Amino acid sequence: MLSNFVAGLPKAELHVHHVGSASPRIVSELAQRHPGTVPSDPDLLREFFAFRDFAHFIEVYLAVVDLVRTPEDVRYLTYEIARELHEGQTVRYAELTCTPYTSVLPDEPGRGMAIEAYTEAIEDARVAAERDFGLVLRWIYDIPGESGIPAADATLGFALDHGPAGLLGFGLGGPEIGVPREWFVPHFAAARAAGLRSVPHAGETTGPETIWTSLRDLGAERIGHGTSAAQDPALLAHLAEHRIPLEVCPSSNVATRAVASLDEHPLPVFVDAGVVVTINSDDPPMFGTTLNREYEIAAELLGLDEAGLARLAVAGVDASFAPDEVKHRLRAEIAAYAPPA
Ligand SMILES: [Zn+2]
């Protein structure tokens, strides 16, 4: 069975959100710590989590953001996400997109934590996850676009003045409509000057011009989603020529209606155009998926066998910003698991 093969295939996950990875099991624990808004009963919680539409997804996401209130919550969330990436999904390396702005110093008095405590909590979890699960974790700090320039200023400060040892990338998420990428040019320039890699979301809910802007003005080295690139042959040719990967998250794209259905997903268009793609899960429990499931979907859309799936896993390793020794080790592990056909 392909699904057994996928489950055991060593993988790198490059586009997955920190809070968005909280599973019902993890949220149940957080809800017990902070009773009130979210049910801690597993059955009720599973019902609350079930994906209905995008508005409900935002409701679930914000409810979980609200449950992450202390450094201990951050540590628990991060460590348990690592456990779930390791167990059953065989993820060996992950670049987790964190949005510290939503946990640090919010407007509400008595809530939020200092950035120093946040940084220490994720780093504790990173070190413990590598020790206990052999999972190598790295961070991407992400600007929540809906909170505009103040969030961008704060996130840049968190990255440059308090950056954890595992921080390697700078991102931009949230809505694209009404949030021009141009706003964030100075932030990305400063982050890049400090050695961080540029990995904005672009072209998920807007057209290819947003991807062009991200490439030209934000120095994007990978594009989060990039679904609308399929509408622009010149852009596809540019991405292919410069080997700029698209981080493809099929179930997320259907859930957010970035694409109408899996059958209409542009993944095959990208591959036919020679664009480098990686397969990722975005906010997996909230979109009712896992990284394994996303690989299975990719296999269906692209007609892949085991060797093809292994090549996709290697593409994820190649597109990562992992240390060279981690890349070598992971490529060797994939090759040993799936000898070339
Ligand atoms: Zn995302």
Side-chain angles (χ1 to χ4, degrees), residues 51-286:
F51 183 83
R52 282 173 235 159
D53 53 35
F54 190 63
H56 180 69
F57 157 68
I58 295 292
E59 189 189 325
V60 171
Y61 187 89
L62 293 178
V64 178
V65 166
D66 181 57
L67 287 177
V68 182
R69 298 185 190 176
T70 69
E72 178 46 34
D73 295 338
V74 172
R75 203 205 65 81
Y76 173 78
L77 169 68
T78 312
Y79 183 78
E80 294 302 319
I81 290 169
R83 183 198 301 281
E84 292 179 3
L85 287 168
H86 166 72
E87 287 174 3
Q89 302 215 79
T90 323
V91 173
R92 301 291 194 231
Y93 172 82
E95 293 173 10
L96 201 57
T97 294
C98 299
T99 314
Y101 184 75
T102 57
S103 298
V104 174
L105 306 176
D107 298 332
E108 243 180 293
R111 299 291 281 277
M113 66 198 82
I115 185 62
E116 291 84 353
Y118 179 93
T119 305
E120 194 183 326
I122 60 171
E123 280 294 303
D124 277 357
R126 179 176 73 81
V127 170
E130 187 160 347
R131 179 195 63 213
D132 298 346
F133 310 130
L135 171 70
V136 177
L137 275 179
R138 291 293 184 269
W139 317 119
I140 294 166
Y141 272 9
D142 168 81
I143 301 168
E146 68 277 14
S147 301
I149 305 285
D153 292 344
T155 304
L156 181 64
F158 298 154
L160 298 192
D161 304 333
H162 303 278
L167 182 68
L168 52 66
F170 198 70
L172 168 60
E176 293 177 44
I177 296 167
V179 185
R181 309 291 93 171
E182 287 88 340
W183 286 358
F184 309 105
V185 168
H187 305 92
F188 275 80
R192 289 162 61 209
L196 297 177
R197 318 301 292 261
S198 171
V199 282
H201 290 57
E204 180 186 13
T205 53
T206 60
E209 70 283 353
T210 312
I211 302 171
W212 281 117
T213 304
S214 300
L215 295 169
R216 286 174 179 148
D217 300 335
L218 304 183
E221 294 174 74
R222 294 194 312 246
I223 297 288
H225 297 293
T227 36
S228 64
Q231 303 161 18
D232 185 341
L235 176 55
L236 290 174
H238 180 90
L239 293 169
E241 185 192 342
H242 295 278
R243 301 198 58 77
I244 296 165
L246 299 180
E247 302 158 2
V248 175
C249 314
S251 293
S252 164
N253 296 151
V254 174
T256 61
R257 299 179 182 265
V259 303
S261 69
L262 282 178
D263 291 344
E264 292 165 72
H265 198 283
L267 177 60
V269 177
F270 300 153
V271 171
D272 286 348
V275 175
V276 176
V277 296
T278 66
I279 300 302
N280 312 273
S281 62
D282 210 11
D283 301 292
M286 298 183 189

